[in-house]
Amino acid sequence: MDYEERFSDAELEKIIEEGLIYMCACPAQVAEAIRKIRELHRYQADCLNDPENDSEVHRTIAMSAARVHAEMQDCMEKILILEKWDRTTLTMPPHLRARQAKFLQDD
């Protein structure tokens, strides 16, 4: 299975930052999951380069990580569309920012 990163590490970090600033954790949780899956995939790629390792084990893990990674990126794309995020700047939309302001006001 091919492994493709449709979101850069910087873009994932931006989504996480927006989520923390505006107290909207769901997109940030998905971004964090994508980052963890990438770490797993990259680690397995390194393991595959060591001839003393069982390549079938690490290939199996890498292939599963690639599938999950693709699924979570699809999920992130859908979230950004559903919530109407600006895909170019990865800025959280005003209606979600307003929720944070209301929360602080009510507190």
Side-chain angles (χ1 to χ4, degrees):
M1 168 168 229
D2 290 335
Y3 176 81
E4 173 192 10
E5 294 184 359
R6 288 181 267 155
F7 293 91
S8 70
D9 290 338
E11 288 174 322
L12 294 175
E13 185 62 34
K14 172 70 173 164
I15 292 167
I16 291 168
E17 286 174 9
E18 287 283 305
L20 292 173
I21 292 168
Y22 297 108
M23 301 166 77
C24 183
C26 295
Q29 287 179 327
V30 173
E32 187 60 38
I34 291 169
R35 289 190 341 180
K36 291 290 186 188
I37 296 163
R38 284 182 181 178
E39 287 176 24
L40 175 62
H41 189 271
R42 290 170 183 161
Y43 186 86
Q44 296 311 309
D46 287 343
C47 288
L48 280 166
N49 291 328
D50 185 341
E52 293 189 24
N53 287 337
D54 183 341
S55 63
E56 189 60 27
V57 168
H58 299 289
R59 190 177 298 99
T60 298
I61 297 168
M63 288 174 57
S64 290
R67 282 192 299 274
V68 172
H69 184 259
E71 181 69 27
M72 292 306 292
Q73 288 190 114
D74 290 345
C75 178
M76 181 60 78
E77 291 284 359
K78 289 175 187 172
I79 289 169
L80 297 179
I81 291 167
L82 289 168
E83 290 191 336
K84 298 176 177 53
W85 282 57
D86 181 321
R87 184 60 175 91
T88 304
T89 64
L90 293 174
T91 303
M92 188 177 287
H95 73 279
L96 292 178
R97 290 176 178 211
R99 288 179 59 194
Q100 188 258 2
K102 182 181 180 333
F103 176 80
L104 291 175
Q105 181 181 12
D106 292 346
D107 214 23

